[in-house]
């Protein structure tokens, strides 16, 4: 087991597991903080003589966030890998869009050259094999994988990797508490030899969801009450849907009249994802969506770009999410100069985007043609993306019952307490490797042995009679040749 | 409310202690082993003067933690050191811990301060000060009060015996003066330089049935006489007395809080550090009451709270088991109307109330 990234580092996830002679790469993420090659995981850790396709049996991607899949086209097309890449259906649908967006920003806006191309993204996705939840996929005769629901974002999965009687479970990012549109992560008592869990939020005690939502609604309400306009850049289905439901309910309760719009670009993509999405929610949430036609909200209507110039208050959901191009950027430019207006950024923004700049406090932006845009509108940041906290991690360990636990995605010294906590409560060993560090975990392999009837009879004749309720333990010596 | 944030701890706490650089400490009090002591960094929203609505950093972060074999009923940081002291059943001994947040995030158990184990000894109440040296004042009963030097574990003072009542609380008024409050309500003053003397500082109105008392002290402005600040005492029936230590023969004020049922082990009364005459009480149910004592007299009349925090009563799991009981509350040291409160269901609330017109 080697961490090529994400070992004691929040940023790029990339883990290499060697299990019973098979080599699997888990995630292939981009570090969002670096602008040079440090953003990619160090693949030289994997094998010295280069042929990754021969060395790796498969690659597994847990979900579409760039810190988990951002380096995939670089890895498969520029470094070179032609083997299978496994991910869930929604991840396969959404990944290329995020990768293309990211590529556009990096190459077109920032002018970088050592980066993958649009064609590379397409070629990379051709190598992807999509999997369903709880479906056992035979990678080869000995290696099998199975995806479990992870919550967190649409399509996120935890993967069990099994070779014979040895298994590893990799969580990716997950969440143990359900929200409005995603259920909680779940796994059966599969008793893996090793559970690899993210621990980014292990030390966090989160503010309740109700408080966050209440504050979000308060901000939107205040802006609209004073005649201002609220812009909420969103990426796609999922969070946007959740916020829509939240606003719709609030508007209804408070009898508010200001219009809420949803940009059309989103609607087209959304219909496609909706079908994928619906199988990814639990019963309760599915019912909510089935009852309402996805975009038939009473108070939320389709947006027309001309509306942006209408006077008076309004709320608009528009793509893309980082304000780096397209409709959301257009609207932003129109509304930025008025301090009555507000923009609420719903998540992380990549460096170089307008979203990132305004979140960093920049209020004078250089746009195309050297134009300076003065940002007087209020800038707010809100994150509803959920990760497991310490309680959640303990819950997952309790569900899966691993023999060993390995923590990634956190900062080393801050994990010592959690490590002790896990070791004390579950009596398992807990590891926290750094980048490039290899952790070896010994497993007790189970070797099935046949015994002849004669030998069995002779053995049972000795000692007390076999009890139907108590299993009888027999001892023997196994001699193996050529192992 | 001006603001309200609710959090959920993995295990309920009955203490909230402020540490250096705005850190907050909580600890578990469950009967079994594996109670955690957690030093938390509050979200930046609580550290700034203005309220920020959607600031991303809204969460508490566990900076470091330790494991206690016994339930932690009381915890005090030792000023000017990286140590803290805890106490809890089954006896009145103290445990000393080292917090070294830079190297590792584990709070390590360093030593323990043993005390005589008499019969019927419950857990020790503690107070700390670092004047001549880092000291801890501790005791579970009035006749077992002592001061121990934390690092050397040497005894530097033993109070004269004034009876064997259980203690409800104790405090350093300054580096020489101790204030002891018995569970019966009796207050005593002692001077570290005069080990044989224990001065009565006021009793409480007698009650038809037995009730428990606890006290709350306030530190005045820098340089002011410690005894100029009134001492508040709260009983399990909801009776509140204010005493001026310079004139202990009478009450400065006496009032009654309206409580649904008697409180017991989680009684808590505290003065607002930044608001004159304001105090808060809790421990009777899932609420925290805030009172303005400036209008109080000695009649013992029922007082109206100026604010009631009901969050814990509503936040519960809904129908499963007993409604949550507030175990402790504390005031924010700088933000005048911000309080933190915890309850028996593991909830931790941070709230800021709007002052009612005209008062406080």
């Amino acid at each position: 087991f080697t961490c090529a990234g994400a070992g004691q580092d929040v940023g790029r996830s990339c883990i290499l597991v060697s299990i019973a002679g098979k080599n699997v790469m888990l995630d292939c993420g981009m570090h969002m903080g670096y602008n040079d090659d440090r953003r990619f995981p160090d693949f030289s850790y994997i094998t010295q003589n280069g042929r990754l396709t021969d060395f790796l049996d498969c690659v597994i991607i847990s979900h579409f966030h760039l810190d988990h899949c951002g380096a995939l086209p670089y890895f498969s097309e520029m470094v070179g890998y032609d083997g299978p890449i496994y991910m869930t259906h929604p991840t396969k649908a959404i990944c290329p869009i995020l990768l293309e967006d990211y590529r556009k920003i990096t190459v077109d806006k920032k002018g970088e050259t050592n980066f993958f191309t649009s064609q590379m993204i397409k070629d990379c996705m051709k190598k992807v094999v999509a999997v369903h939840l709880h479906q056992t996929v035979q990678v080869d005769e000995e290696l099998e994988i199975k995806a479990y629901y992870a919550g967190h974002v649409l399509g996120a999965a935890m993967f069990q990797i099994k070779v014979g009687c040895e298994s590893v479970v990799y969580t990716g990012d997950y969440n143990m508490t359900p929200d409005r549109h995603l259920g909680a992560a779940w796994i059966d008592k599969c008793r893996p030899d090793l559970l690899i869990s993210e621990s980014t939020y292990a030390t966090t005690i989160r503010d309740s969801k109700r408080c966050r939502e209440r504050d979000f609604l308060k901000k939107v309400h205040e802006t609209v009450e004073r005649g201002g306009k609220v812009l909420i850049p969103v990426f796609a289905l999922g969070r946007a849907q959740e916020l829509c439901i939240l606003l719709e309910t609030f508007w209804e309760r408070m009898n508010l009249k200001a219009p809420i719009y949803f940009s059309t670009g989103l609607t087209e993509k959304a219909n496609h994802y909706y079908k994928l999405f619906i199988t990814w929610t639990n019963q309760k949430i599915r019912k909510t969506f089935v009852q309402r036609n996805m975009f038939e909200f009473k108070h939320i209507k389709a947006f027309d770009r001309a509306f942006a110039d209408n006077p008076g208050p309004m709320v608009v959901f528009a793509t893309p999410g980082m304000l780096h191009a397209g409709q959301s950027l257009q609207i932003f430019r129109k509304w930025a100069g008025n301090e009555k207006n507000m923009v609420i950024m719903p998540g992380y923004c990549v460096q170089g985007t307008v979203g990132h700049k305004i979140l960093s406090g920049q209020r004078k932006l250089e746009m195309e043609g050297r134009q300076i845009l003065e940002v007087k509108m209020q800038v707010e940041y809100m994150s509803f993306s959920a990760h497991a906290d310490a309680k959640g991690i303990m819950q997952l360990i309790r569900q899966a019952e691993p023999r060993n636990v390995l923590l990634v995605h956190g900062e080393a010294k801050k994990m010592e307490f959690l490590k002790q906590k896990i070791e004390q409560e579950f009596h398992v060993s807990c590891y926290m490797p750094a980048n490039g560090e290899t952790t070896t975990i010994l497993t007790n392999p189970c070797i099935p042995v046949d015994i002849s009837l004669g030998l069995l009879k002779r053995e049972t004749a000795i000692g007390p009679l076999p009890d139907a309720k108590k299993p009888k333990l027999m001892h023997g010596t196994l001699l193996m040749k050529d192992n | 409310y001006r603001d309200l944030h609710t959090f959920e701890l993995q295990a309920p706490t009955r203490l909230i202690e402020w540490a250096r650089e705005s850190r907050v400490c909580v600890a578990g009090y469950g009967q079994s082993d594996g109670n955690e002591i957690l030093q938390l960094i509050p979200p930046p929203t609580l550290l700034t003067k203005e309220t920020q609505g959607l600031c991303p950093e809204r969460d508490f972060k566990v900076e470091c933690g330790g494991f206690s074999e016994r339930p932690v009923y009381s915890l005090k940081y030792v000023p000017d050191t990286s140590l803290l002291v805890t106490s809890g059943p089954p006896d009145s001994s103290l445990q000393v811990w080292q917090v070294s947040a830079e190297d590792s995030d584990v709070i390590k158990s360093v030593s323990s301060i043993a005390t005589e184990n008499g019969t019927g000894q419950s857990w020790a109440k503690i107070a700390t000060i670092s004047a001549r040296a880092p000291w801890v004042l501790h005791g579970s009963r009035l006749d077992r009060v002592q001061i121990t030097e934390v690092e050397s574990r040497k005894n530097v003072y033993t109070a004269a015996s004034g009876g064997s009542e259980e203690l409800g609380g104790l405090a350093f008024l300054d580096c020489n003066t101790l204030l002891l409050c018995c569970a019966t309500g009796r207050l005593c003053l002692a001077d570290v330089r005069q080990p044989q003397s224990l001065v009565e500082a006021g009793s409480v109105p007698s009650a038809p049935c037995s009730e428990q008392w606890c006290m709350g002290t306030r530190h005045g402005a820098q340089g002011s006489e410690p005894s100029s600040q009134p001492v508040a005492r709260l009983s399990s029936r909801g009776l509140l007395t204010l005493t001026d230590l310079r004139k202990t023969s009478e009450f400065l004020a006496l009032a009654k809080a309206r409580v649904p049922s008697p409180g017991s082990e989680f009684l808590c009364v505290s003065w607002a550090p930044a608001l004159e005459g304001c105090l808060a009480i809790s421990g009777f149910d899932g609420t925290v009451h805030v009172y303005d004592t400036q209008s109080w007299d000695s009649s013992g009349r029922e007082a109206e709270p100026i604010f009631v925090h009901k969050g814990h009563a509503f936040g519960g799991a809904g129908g499963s088991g007993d409604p949550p009981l507030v175990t402790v509350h504390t005031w924010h040291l700088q933000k005048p109307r911000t309080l933190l409160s915890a309850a028996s269901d593991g909830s931790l609330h941070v709230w800021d109330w709007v002052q009612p017109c005209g008062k406080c």
Side-chain angles (χ1 to χ4, degrees):
Chain A
F1 170 89
T2 309
C3 273
Q8 291 179 11
D9 188 10
V10 182
R12 46 180 141 62
S13 288
C14 185
I15 298 163
L16 184 65
V17 177
S18 279
I19 171 172
K22 300 288 174 187
N23 299 308
V24 177
M25 188 161 96
L26 303 169
D27 279 339
C28 190
M30 182 82 79
H31 195 305
M32 311 308 280
Y34 294 124
N35 282 331
D36 50 34
D37 287 349
R38 284 176 300 175
R39 62 178 147 215
F40 300 122
D42 191 341
F43 297 117
S44 65
Y45 280 126
I46 303 176
T47 169
Q48 300 307 345
N49 57 14
R51 286 287 298 162
L52 291 172
T53 311
D54 297 335
F55 182 76
L56 289 172
D57 292 280
C58 71
V59 173
I60 296 174
I61 302 291
S62 62
H63 64 290
F64 62 65
H65 276 160
L66 288 174
D67 58 340
H68 288 257
C69 73
L72 192 62
Y74 168 81
F75 168 73
S76 72
E77 308 311 304
M78 291 169 86
V79 177
Y81 170 75
D82 298 312
I85 301 172
Y86 294 98
M87 58 181 77
T88 62
H89 287 272
T91 310
K92 183 176 178 180
I94 298 170
C95 244
I97 300 170
L98 278 181
L99 287 170
E100 179 54 33
D101 260 4
Y102 183 52
R103 190 206 66 76
K104 263 207 275 251
I105 298 166
T106 313
V107 172
D108 300 347
K109 296 243 168 233
K110 299 203 283 177
E112 297 192 25
T113 46
N114 185 28
F115 213 77
F116 47 82
T117 62
S118 294
Q119 187 56 45
M120 286 180 188
I121 296 173
K122 294 194 179 95
D123 293 337
C124 172
M125 295 314 287
K126 289 193 192 119
K127 299 171 184 171
V128 170
V129 177
V131 302
H132 293 289
L133 286 179
H134 307 163
Q135 169 200 8
T136 302
V137 175
Q138 290 292 140
V139 178
D140 61 35
E141 273 164 16
E142 290 143 316
L143 173 63
E144 59 183 51
I145 63 172
K146 192 192 312 190
Y148 287 93
Y149 191 78
H152 184 60
V153 289
L154 179 57
M158 306 188 288
F159 280 88
Q160 180 194 36
I161 299 129
K162 206 162 168 191
V163 182
C165 50
E166 288 183 10
S167 64
V168 171
V169 168
Y170 171 57
T171 64
D173 288 346
Y174 65 103
N175 182 28
M176 299 300 284
T177 45
D179 59 32
R180 279 174 209 273
H181 79 291
L182 288 173
W186 178 85
I187 196 166
D188 49 19
K189 213 183 277 291
C190 53
R191 299 214 174 99
D193 291 286
L194 177 66
L195 174 73
I196 303 171
S197 172
E198 70 133 347
S199 55
T200 324
Y201 280 70
T203 54
T204 303
I205 295 175
R206 288 205 106 194
D207 187 2
S208 75
K209 191 135 189 294
R210 211 181 291 162
C211 286
R212 282 171 202 261
E213 290 181 346
R214 181 206 64 214
D215 286 351
F216 165 70
L217 290 172
K218 195 163 148 205
K219 287 273 160 180
V220 173
H221 191 202
E222 277 169 6
T223 306
V224 155
E225 284 291 282
R226 62 167 183 248
K229 299 173 165 57
V230 182
L231 170 65
I232 307 174
V234 288
F235 154 62
L237 210 62
R239 298 292 157 207
Q241 198 73 357
E242 198 165 317
L243 296 177
C244 278
I245 295 173
L246 197 56
L247 279 185
E248 166 98 341
T249 323
F250 185 67
W251 247 240
E252 185 72 26
R253 188 158 48 93
M254 304 286 283
N255 198 20
L256 298 177
K257 301 293 179 221
I260 308 175
Y261 298 112
F262 209 91
S263 88
T264 45
L266 215 64
T267 325
E268 284 141 33
K269 281 193 196 126
N271 265 315
H272 171 51
Y273 298 133
Y274 179 61
K275 294 197 187 81
L276 288 171
F277 171 57
I278 208 62
T279 57
W280 274 78
T281 61
N282 58 35
Q283 262 329 96
K284 185 175 98 180
I285 297 166
R286 205 176 300 179
K287 266 195 224 137
T288 320
F289 280 118
V290 165
Q291 271 163 24
R292 53 169 74 250
N293 182 336
M294 206 188 46
F295 285 102
E296 245 164 54
F297 286 108
K298 225 168 100 182
H299 302 272
I300 308 180
K301 306 274 178 275
F303 186 68
D304 183 289
R305 71 168 72 175
F307 295 172
D309 298 315
N310 287 359
M314 70 173 81
V315 181
V316 176
F317 288 91
T319 53
M322 295 186 255
L323 281 184
H324 54 279
Q327 197 166 65
S328 60
L329 184 60
Q330 261 180 25
I331 300 169
F332 173 74
R333 291 171 79 153
K334 282 194 194 206
W335 295 357
N338 189 338
E339 66 238 343
K340 277 202 239 170
N341 297 338
M342 178 185 286
V343 60
I344 303 179
M345 304 302 299
Y348 181 83
C349 291
V350 168
Q351 235 184 31
T353 56
V354 169
H356 188 269
K357 288 183 184 152
I358 58 176
L359 283 177
S360 319
Q362 244 187 290
R363 291 296 177 261
K364 284 196 168 46
L365 304 172
E366 194 180 303
M367 312 299 278
E368 279 96 55
R370 297 288 190 97
Q371 278 189 313
I372 302 288
L373 179 68
E374 233 188 283
V375 180
K376 291 200 187 128
M377 78 193 303
Q378 258 186 275
V379 178
E380 296 285 342
Y381 171 75
M382 158 196 72
S383 173
F384 281 114
S385 180
H387 289 249
D389 57 10
K391 186 169 166 180
I393 295 172
M394 302 301 273
Q395 263 179 291
L396 187 73
I397 298 175
R398 207 167 287 123
Q399 270 183 24
E401 286 189 16
R403 294 199 192 90
N404 298 277
V405 173
L406 195 138
L407 301 175
V408 290
H409 225 189
E411 296 150 60
K413 63 178 189 205
K414 298 284 191 318
M415 295 201 268
E416 182 66 39
F417 176 58
L418 179 63
K419 172 175 139 76
Q420 278 193 23
K421 190 172 147 116
I422 291 170
E423 286 178 341
Q424 280 181 14
E425 174 137 356
F426 300 108
H427 306 292
V428 296
S429 303
C430 184
Y431 303 88
M432 311 174 324
N435 266 349
E437 202 180 304
T438 304
T439 306
T440 308
I441 291 150
L442 297 172
T443 57
N444 286 330
C446 283
I447 302 170
V449 173
D450 289 328
I451 185 170
S452 75
L453 197 56
L455 191 58
L456 180 64
K457 279 189 182 158
R458 260 205 283 167
E459 176 63 22
T460 49
I462 308 167
L465 283 169
D467 186 340
K469 292 187 195 131
K470 274 202 277 184
K472 178 166 179 174
L473 191 65
M474 291 197 242
H475 299 270
T477 305
L478 180 68
L479 296 168
M480 289 174 79
K481 269 197 224 178
D482 291 341
N483 185 33
Chain B
Y1 287 102
R2 213 182 100 195
D3 220 358
L4 169 64
H5 295 271
T6 64
F7 301 85
E8 208 184 294
L9 298 171
Q10 231 184 305
T13 182
R14 54 185 288 172
L15 57 95
I16 304 174
E17 289 293 325
W18 290 98
R20 258 197 298 234
E21 289 163 55
S22 304
R23 305 301 197 248
V24 153
C25 194
V26 296
Y29 60 92
Q31 285 319 298
S32 58
D33 186 3
N35 286 295
E36 292 176 2
I37 298 171
L38 301 173
Q39 180 172 289
L40 311 174
I41 305 175
T45 42
L46 290 185
L47 304 178
T48 57
K49 285 267 152 194
E50 296 116 39
T51 347
Q52 286 170 281
L54 297 174
C55 179
E57 298 304 330
R58 303 162 57 105
D59 309 319
F60 272 95
K61 286 211 199 336
V62 176
E63 187 178 28
C64 43
F67 300 98
S68 170
E69 284 168 2
R70 51 172 80 197
V72 182
Y73 276 31
S74 182
L75 184 152
K76 293 274 181 256
Y77 281 89
V78 183
D80 302 335
T81 69
S82 60
L83 303 171
L84 58 86
V85 180
T86 63
S87 69
D91 58 39
S92 57
S93 63
L94 310 181
Q95 294 73 48
V96 183
W97 307 76
Q98 168 109 14
V99 182
S100 49
E102 292 80 38
D103 311 326
S104 108
D105 65 343
V106 179
I107 299 176
K108 295 190 243 302
S109 171
V110 167
S111 62
S112 83
I113 294 170
T115 55
E116 304 169 22
N117 273 335
T119 48
Q121 288 257 36
S122 67
W123 54 286
K125 315 297 177 285
I126 49 183
T128 52
I129 198 169
S130 280
R132 298 195 248 300
W135 283 353
V136 56
L137 167 66
H138 60 106
S140 57
R141 283 170 24 177
L142 191 57
D143 56 352
R144 301 245 192 267
V145 173
Q146 44 178 308
I147 298 180
T148 307
E149 214 174 68
V150 182
E151 280 151 352
S152 64
R153 288 179 285 155
K154 221 173 48 165
N155 173 282
V156 296
Y157 167 86
T158 306
S161 173
S164 62
E165 295 117 282
E166 228 185 83
L167 282 176
L170 37 71
F172 277 102
L173 288 182
D174 61 30
C175 57
N176 294 313
T177 322
L178 314 175
L179 183 63
L180 311 170
C181 176
C182 300
T184 53
R186 184 177 158 205
L187 265 185
C188 298
L189 279 166
D191 188 317
V192 169
R193 298 163 293 193
Q194 297 171 327
Q196 290 320 306
S197 76
L198 201 66
V199 177
E200 292 298 321
S203 55
V204 285
S206 55
C209 47
S210 73
E211 54 183 342
Q212 310 258 33
W213 290 83
C214 68
M215 75 166 170
T217 53
R218 182 175 191 243
H219 294 281
Q222 195 82 349
S224 69
E225 259 292 305
S227 51
S228 65
Q229 295 296 318
V231 174
R233 274 172 290 176
L234 171 70
S235 86
S236 46
R237 266 194 309 139
L239 210 58
L240 277 151
T241 75
L242 299 187
T243 307
D244 181 334
L245 290 175
R246 296 165 297 192
K247 200 170 176 204
T248 61
S249 52
E250 57 186 49
F251 294 127
L252 204 57
L254 182 68
K256 175 119 186 18
R258 197 181 318 140
V259 296
S261 53
S264 54
E265 57 177 321
F266 299 128
L267 283 188
C268 186
V269 59
S270 65
W271 288 100
L275 290 174
E276 204 59 43
C278 253
L279 57 72
I281 68 169
S282 67
F284 301 93
D285 54 18
T287 66
V288 180
H289 290 207
V290 180
Y291 291 92
D292 175 3
T293 65
Q294 290 175 333
S295 56
W296 288 4
D297 54 27
S298 320
S299 64
R301 214 189 347 240
E302 197 171 271
E304 267 306 304
I306 55 174
F307 187 78
V308 178
H309 171 60
K310 297 185 188 137
H312 294 283
F314 293 127
S320 54
D322 303 315
L325 190 56
V326 173
T327 54
V328 68
H329 72 263
T330 191
W331 292 79
H332 193 284
L333 299 176
Q334 287 90 36
K335 297 178 98 170
R337 271 171 289 279
T338 301
L339 285 102
L340 279 73
S341 55
S344 53
D345 62 353
S347 54
L348 177 67
H349 291 184
V350 183
W351 40 283
D352 195 323
W353 48 280
V354 175
Q355 69 182 59
C357 357
K359 305 236 190 95
C360 228

